[in-house]
Amino acid sequence: QVQLVESGGGLVQRGGSLRLSCAASGRTFSNYNMGWFRQAPGKEREFVAVISWNGRDTYYADSVKGRFTISRDNAENTVYLQMNSLEPEDTAAYYCNSGTWMTGLPGRYWGQGTQVTVSS
């Protein structure tokens, strides 16, 4: 059973930073790409970032490029999302995804989500 547990969300002011973490278990973490998605109230879930299984390749949504950084620690079975220069438009529930395609399409497994709220 694959489990993904996100943490690190919270309330931050415009221009601030947060670091999200996603701890994975249930299958060999280092075999799979990992991604982050987000969903704002009343909107569809959207792709944010993906990192390849070995950490060498990343791909970002245009809306976060240059502000967010995805990384992973295969020894710790954890993927991270460093979010800088946060804007109110970044307010959403953020979800970790396992098996994400490098094109941004989601894989099969999801975490429960962590809320990020950016105040103006």
Side-chain angles (χ1 to χ4, degrees):
Q1 178 94 9
V2 175
Q3 284 194 318
L4 303 172
V5 180
E6 300 98 332
S7 60
L11 173 64
V12 64
Q13 289 188 334
R14 166 181 262 154
S17 298
L18 281 175
R19 187 195 197 202
L20 305 183
S21 300
C22 171
S25 61
R27 63 179 184 177
T28 305
F29 179 77
S30 58
N31 285 354
Y32 298 93
N33 301 339
M34 295 294 296
W36 288 95
F37 291 72
R38 66 186 182 185
Q39 188 168 18
K43 294 190 176 181
E44 298 278 323
R45 190 171 298 190
E46 65 175 6
F47 166 76
V48 175
V50 59
I51 187 166
S52 62
W53 60 275
N54 58 6
R56 290 178 184 169
D57 297 303
T58 57
Y59 174 58
Y60 296 92
D62 286 343
S63 58
V64 307
K65 203 173 295 182
R67 300 187 299 123
F68 290 12
T69 302
I70 189 170
S71 61
R72 66 189 296 160
D73 184 339
N74 285 348
E76 296 293 330
N77 291 351
T78 302
V79 62
Y80 303 98
L81 186 68
Q82 177 67 44
M83 305 186 295
N84 298 329
S85 302
L86 283 161
E87 295 288 339
E89 296 73 32
D90 296 315
T91 294
Y94 283 72
Y95 296 89
C96 178
N97 180 256
S98 177
T100 313
W101 293 80
M102 292 305 293
T103 55
L105 291 176
R108 180 177 178 184
Y109 298 102
W110 296 95
Q112 83 289 349
T114 186
Q115 180 67 37
V116 171
T117 303
V118 185
S119 66
S120 55

